[in-house]
Amino acid sequence: MTGPDSTFAVRPARTSDVPRIQELLEPWVQRRILLGKERVTLYETVQEFVVAEAGDRLVGCGALHVMWEDLGEIRTLIVADDWLHRGVGGAVVDLLEENARALGLSRLFCLTFEVPFFSRRGFAEIGEQVVDPDVYSQLLRSADEGVAEFLDLAHVKPNTLGNTRMLKQL
């Protein structure tokens, strides 16, 4: 998949991309916008990632994490500062949505500071209860921080102040 101006391409991530994903992530961690990830975690989840590449440089990435039979989360969406507003983020989200549909997901969640970006792509802010009580009780058993953020559990609130919980129906 190529970007709007064909100067970058979006593709599934490979294990060889992990060090570059971590390099792309680090400035956003330093700014306290994204949580850091250990390299081992990135390797364990590399199959969830897509990357945007311009030449031999990684200029963006994002991941699709399955949370439930119909629900996934877009996470770790990053665009290099000098590639912002050039279609990279949109192209990454487009491929993640395509992957979500291929998996049979019908809803996508994100936790973001970039509300206008996600709103333009059909995401809407969500309230407290977005899954039925049976699913909620199952999701409570997950150790995944993203699931806790989706459920808006109190123990993750200090990490998410200022972020907006959003959902899209595919």
Side-chain angles (χ1 to χ4, degrees):
M1 174 179 214
T2 59
D5 60 8
S6 298
T7 59
F8 67 91
V10 182
R11 61 165 174 78
R14 298 185 284 260
T15 56
S16 59
D17 295 318
V18 166
R20 297 188 303 162
I21 291 170
Q22 195 167 39
E23 287 173 19
L24 196 59
L25 176 60
E26 192 55 34
W28 298 96
V29 172
Q30 295 302 318
R31 293 181 215 156
R32 298 178 160 278
I33 294 171
L34 293 173
L35 294 175
K37 294 187 187 295
E38 297 294 331
R39 189 168 288 194
V40 66
T41 302
L42 292 172
Y43 279 116
E44 290 172 342
T45 59
V46 70
Q47 71 280 359
E48 297 181 357
F49 277 84
V50 299
V51 295
E53 208 170 31
D56 62 356
R57 181 175 173 219
L58 198 83
V59 297
C61 69
L64 171 66
H65 181 75
V66 175
M67 298 171 77
W68 198 249
E69 69 178 315
D70 66 333
L71 178 66
E73 178 186 8
I74 291 181
R75 41 171 78 167
T76 320
L77 180 62
I78 308 167
V79 176
D81 284 334
D82 58 332
W83 278 82
L84 290 170
H85 310 292
R86 294 176 65 180
V88 173
V92 167
V93 170
D94 287 347
L95 185 52
L96 293 174
E97 286 186 14
E98 184 179 312
N99 293 348
R101 285 184 183 92
L103 288 168
L105 301 178
S106 59
R107 300 183 299 161
L108 282 179
F109 165 75
C110 69
L111 182 69
T112 186
F113 288 108
E114 301 297 330
V115 174
F117 172 85
F118 280 99
S119 292
R120 286 191 304 273
R121 282 156 185 79
F123 286 77
E125 294 183 35
I126 57 173
E128 295 296 314
Q129 193 67 17
V130 293
V131 294
D132 68 48
D134 290 338
V135 173
Y136 184 89
S137 68
Q138 292 292 320
L139 288 173
L140 280 175
R141 298 175 183 167
S142 175
D144 185 90
E145 285 294 316
V147 172
E149 290 166 340
F150 171 73
L151 297 176
D152 203 24
L153 299 180
H155 76 272
V156 296
K157 284 190 181 211
N159 294 330
T160 62
L161 287 177
N163 287 7
T164 300
R165 297 165 66 240
M166 301 184 81
L167 192 70
K168 178 178 182 173
Q169 300 289 330
L170 295 177

